[in-house]
Structure formats: structure tokens, C-alpha cells
Amino acid sequence: MMTSMILAALVNTISWQQIDLNQKLILNDPIQLNQKITLPAGTKLVVQDIIPLDELRVLSYKMNITPCSTAIKSEVSDMVIINDLYGTQLDKDCSLNVYLELGDLSKPSLFSTIAR
């Protein structure tokens, strides 16, 4: 209980607009990608690319899960919709893709930064 309170005090949820390349993030809540794979809250990620998909009015955030567990290194998943807002998909080598409609940029993201 005390550990979760300390962690909550150190974590700063950010909006999608605040996410930058090479930024280190942690996942706020678990994401179940399929029956075998759930990324737990606290999973660490590094932003590798942010790609505008203009024809769809969507941004694609490509992130690497660090460290990359051998249990999921070769796993892939179909797209999973989170909170009826965001699409997530796991690719090989622990690459997580998150898709966001441009209209949702100012909303809180699924991620936080750790205060230093």
C-alpha cells in the first residue's frame, strides 16, 4: 500500500501533446493485448517515432518496451481498443504502437513520466 502511494506521488500523467521522441514513459494502467499478453501498469517505454497518418487524422506513436522480456519478444497482437479511444498493437521485438485520433491530443495519455 505504501509503495503504491509513493509511486503515485512520483508519477506525472501527461497529455498526448506532451509526448516527444526518445521520451521515457511508464504505463499508467495495465493493457491486455490478448489472452496471453498483458502489459502491467509501470511498464517502461521509450518513444521511437510519432507518425501522422493524415488521411485518417490519426497519430501513430511507436514505442519500445524496456526492458524487452523474452516472453513477449516474438509476440504480436491484433489491435486492441482502450477506453473506446485509443488503439494499441504489439509488434515483434517489444514494439508497441498506439494510435490516437488528432481530436484527442489534449486528453490525458495512457502514460506518465517519473519526477526526478
Side-chain angles (χ1 to χ4, degrees):
M1 177 77 168
M2 184 62 142
T3 303
S4 61
M5 289 190 321
I6 292 170
L7 184 59
L10 296 175
V11 175
N12 300 312
T13 300
I14 59 174
S15 73
W16 293 100
Q17 292 171 319
Q18 294 173 294
I19 296 176
D20 291 318
L21 290 175
N22 300 317
Q23 189 172 19
K24 294 178 183 178
L25 304 172
I26 59 171
L27 187 60
N28 292 336
D29 297 308
I31 295 177
Q32 185 167 358
L33 295 166
N34 59 35
Q35 290 180 349
K36 291 184 356 184
I37 304 168
T38 299
L39 298 178
T43 297
K44 296 178 182 176
L45 303 118
V46 177
V47 180
Q48 296 301 306
D49 209 352
I50 302 171
I51 303 167
L53 305 175
D54 293 332
E55 63 279 355
L56 300 175
R57 299 194 39 78
V58 167
L59 281 179
S60 169
Y61 292 85
K62 295 193 178 286
M63 304 178 186
N64 285 342
I65 300 167
T66 60
C68 182
S69 162
T70 55
I72 65 168
K73 189 169 182 84
S74 62
E75 295 290 332
V76 296
S77 75
D78 292 331
M79 185 180 299
V80 175
I81 305 300
I82 307 296
N83 300 332
D84 293 327
L85 293 172
Y86 317 115
T88 59
Q89 184 176 19
L90 182 67
D91 286 336
K92 287 187 178 187
D93 296 323
C94 297
S95 179
L96 183 69
N97 298 302
V98 181
Y99 301 95
L100 170 76
E101 290 184 16
L102 294 178
D104 294 327
L105 270 173
S106 63
K107 293 184 179 179
S109 73
L110 304 172
F111 309 99
S112 296
T113 57
I114 298 175
R116 295 190 175 162

